[in-house]
Amino acid sequence: AFCDWSSDVCSSDLMTPSAMPGIAELLIANQIGIAQMPCPELGCLGLGREGMIYDQLCTHGSRRYLRALAQDIVYQARQYLGHGFKVLGVVGINCSPSCGVDCHAYNGEAPGRGAFMEELTAALREDGLELPLIGVADEKMDQSLADLKKLIGV
């Protein structure tokens, strides 16, 4: 997810820290590359977004954009795989209205995937590509790092 590495896209407000501490360090220390996805919310709604973001991401136009973005991510994963790389999975931000894996934001916390992760899951399924989706959360960083360590085998 984009905001793992740059939370500045989360809104027009100043956000700190600018990346989730520990995630990039863990991956780099284990010589794992990072392919950063574009921010779905920024692409659909811009920086000044507010209100019921999940609802705004469920409009026909937003879903069309999210579906195309998801198909592009699947294409890129296939390119990496076709050239001998291992693609270990996709990292999303839990409780994000777009990139939530285990929960998304809807009037608080709601179970289920965010709007982009719904489209990405569908695109992966349609392509027959099985990639784990891992949800991370700033407020649960110890668990997030443990989940990532399990994924990468350390």
Side-chain angles (χ1 to χ4, degrees), residues 3 55 92 99 120 135 153:
C3 47
D55 285 346
C99 291
L120 182 58

Side-chain angles (χ1 to χ4, degrees), residues 51-52 54 94-97 103-111:
M52 300 300 286
Y54 183 82
N94 272 339
C95 298
S96 160
C103 59
H104 69 277
Y106 190 83
N107 241 357
E109 183 178 321

Side-chain angles (χ1 to χ4, degrees), residues 30-113:
N30 288 281
Q31 299 182 330
I32 295 172
I34 301 167
Q36 183 172 340
M37 298 185 296
C39 174
E41 289 176 38
L42 180 61
C44 284
L45 306 172
L47 276 178
R49 57 195 179 271
E50 53 188 48
M52 300 300 286
I53 304 298
Y54 183 82
D55 285 346
Q56 294 172 51
L57 293 171
C58 290
T59 65
H60 179 71
S62 290
R63 283 296 178 148
R64 187 174 57 238
Y65 173 84
L66 296 176
R67 194 168 303 114
L69 181 58
Q71 291 167 342
D72 188 53
I73 298 303
V74 171
Y75 170 80
Q76 290 180 36
R78 282 282 181 210
Q79 287 294 306
Y80 281 113
L81 292 166
H83 286 84
F85 290 87
K86 290 181 182 178
V87 178
L88 299 177
V90 176
V91 177
I93 303 294
N94 272 339
C95 298
S96 160
S98 59
C99 291
V101 173
D102 304 307
C103 59
H104 69 277
Y106 190 83
N107 241 357
E109 183 178 321
R113 301 198 189 287

